[in-house]
Amino acid sequence: MRKAVQFAVAFIMLYAAWEFYHFVEYIRGSGLGPAPHRPPVAEGFLPIAAVLAFKALFALKEIDPIHPAGLMIFIATLTTAWVFRRALCSWICPISTLSETLGQLGRKLIGRNLNVPKWLDRLLLGIKYLLFFYVVKMILLIPTDEAVAFMKIPYYAVSDIKMFDMFMNLGVKALSIILVLAVLSVLIKSFWCRYLCPYGALLGVLGFLSPIFLTINHDTCHNCGACNRVCPNRVDVQGKKRLVASTECTGCTSCVSACPQKGTLQFKLFGLLPISPLVFSLGFLSLFFGIILWAKLTGHWETNLTIENYRAIDQMMSGGFGGM
């Protein structure tokens, strides 16, 4: 089921990218014919804008009308991370899906993924959390009134188009970095997710506070290693004493499903009430997409900018109005 959800989301994101391409072409072209749909889900690739809108939410007591979908996706991400750990990483994030797929490709090509020595693994893990704390520090230092002011400038309104332009015009250096990361992800399981993703670090810290614990019973454990082998993020499940507490756990439920000894590995609410992998997974998906559905039903999903607004601001930012 997880694979089906992963690839369904990946397909949706690719289709959204195709739609957004036509949207940009339309506002920069003749503007003739029916206006294409601008997919709000594209705002999921504007994490900084979402964080600023989240910060402004508490000051303004209102949801950002320019990029509401980005803010709602961010809220859904934070909420589900606290309850269901980093399940977004293993179920929805397209970058994580790509990273996991590349790792599987590596095992097929060379028979296995490379093992990183423990000392180097711990050293590399620090990079992600250093990036995370740096970003958090920078965001906390931004005064709320400056965040609100930034959200009113033209650049913020078309930040999705600017992000699109960046991806469409990647230079040799950027493409080289992407290629290196792809090769490393083939050779080393979950290289990007484990060592470099600051977003994953944020979700890992929140997930560490989850009321749902993953427990292991060593009295019934046969030490077969099945749990460790299937973990997409290389958590040493078998090596934990009783609680599998790790900021790297992505709540994929693979270890519980793979364990041949029923009841040895279990998700438990507050450490007491057992939760099956199916209930855990459906709970995460229901909460995440439930928040998105609420946003759609209450008018907090589509931007309040019109096609004409987008065209005018994009032209202004491109110097179409005499460099204004």
Side-chain angles (χ1 to χ4, degrees):
M1 186 175 72
R2 188 170 71 89
K3 286 295 181 186
V5 173
Q6 280 182 317
F7 285 103
V9 171
F11 174 80
I12 290 171
M13 298 308 296
L14 288 172
Y15 183 72
W18 179 250
E19 278 193 313
F20 199 83
Y21 167 79
H22 284 289
F23 169 76
V24 174
E25 288 292 300
Y26 181 85
I27 66 171
R28 290 177 174 173
S30 63
L32 299 177
H37 177 247
R38 173 192 170 277
V41 72
E43 295 174 17
F45 289 94
L46 301 174
I48 302 301
V51 170
L52 292 176
F54 185 72
K55 190 167 187 175
L57 174 65
F58 297 96
L60 302 177
K61 301 297 188 292
E62 65 177 30
I63 293 173
D64 173 28
I66 304 298
H67 295 303
L71 175 58
M72 297 311 301
I73 291 172
F74 185 64
I75 290 174
T77 298
L78 296 182
T79 306
T80 53
W82 173 65
V83 181
F84 297 102
R85 305 190 178 202
R86 287 174 54 186
L88 179 129
C89 297
S90 60
W91 286 82
I92 290 179
C93 177
I95 306 301
S96 179
T97 299
L98 176 60
S99 179
E100 190 176 333
T101 303
L102 289 174
Q104 293 169 350
L105 176 63
R107 289 197 295 277
K108 289 183 179 180
L109 291 177
I110 61 177
R112 65 183 181 89
N113 297 118
L114 301 182
N115 291 320
V116 179
K118 283 189 176 182
W119 67 268
L120 181 58
D121 179 65
R122 291 174 181 174
L123 182 64
L124 292 174
L125 270 173
I127 298 175
K128 176 172 65 179
Y129 291 97
L130 285 174
L131 288 172
F132 162 65
F133 286 118
Y134 175 76
V135 172
V136 168
K137 178 183 175 183
M138 293 301 295
I139 291 170
L140 291 177
L141 289 177
I142 299 174
T144 303
D145 56 343
E146 290 187 15
V148 173
F150 179 78
M151 292 167 60
K152 295 179 180 179
I153 67 174
Y155 185 90
Y156 179 81
V158 294
S159 55
D160 49 352
I161 295 179
K162 294 304 179 183
M163 180 68 74
F164 173 82
D165 287 339
M166 185 192 74
F167 281 115
M168 292 296 290
N169 297 282
L170 292 174
V172 174
K173 183 181 292 186
L175 290 173
S176 299
I177 292 173
I178 292 173
L179 179 60
V180 169
L181 289 174
V183 172
L184 287 171
S185 296
V186 169
L187 298 175
I188 302 172
K189 189 177 182 180
S190 303
F191 181 84
W192 167 262
C193 301
R194 184 168 178 82
Y195 299 128
L196 297 177
C197 181
Y199 208 62
L202 167 63
L203 304 188
V205 171
L206 284 174
F208 201 75
L209 305 174
S210 170
I212 300 178
F213 306 129
L214 178 59
T215 63
I216 180 170
N217 183 356
H218 283 285
D219 291 335
T220 57
C221 177
H222 287 180
N223 296 314
C224 65
C227 51
N228 283 14
R229 286 194 297 272
V230 298
C231 179
N233 222 31
R234 299 168 53 195
V235 176
D236 182 15
V237 179
Q238 183 179 305
K240 302 299 181 182
K241 291 184 178 180
R242 190 179 73 85
L243 295 179
V244 184
S246 172
T247 55
E248 298 306 303
C249 175
T250 60
C252 66
T253 74
S254 297
C255 59
V256 181
S257 299
C259 181
Q261 291 297 110
K262 186 176 180 180
T264 297
L265 278 170
Q266 286 185 310
F267 285 108
K268 291 184 178 181
L269 182 61
F270 299 113
L272 300 173
L273 180 64
I275 300 175
S276 71
L278 181 61
V279 171
F280 182 94
S281 305
L282 292 178
F284 160 71
L285 294 172
S286 298
L287 180 57
F288 184 87
F289 289 109
I291 293 174
I292 303 303
L293 178 61
W294 176 87
K296 289 186 175 184
L297 294 177
T298 56
H300 298 304
W301 185 250
E302 298 279 352
T303 181
N304 66 351
L305 295 179
T306 65
I307 290 284
E308 290 73 22
N309 294 148
Y310 265 105
R311 180 180 288 112
I313 298 172
D314 183 61
Q315 289 178 352
M316 181 180 69
M317 294 298 295
S318 301
F321 290 164
M324 290 178 59

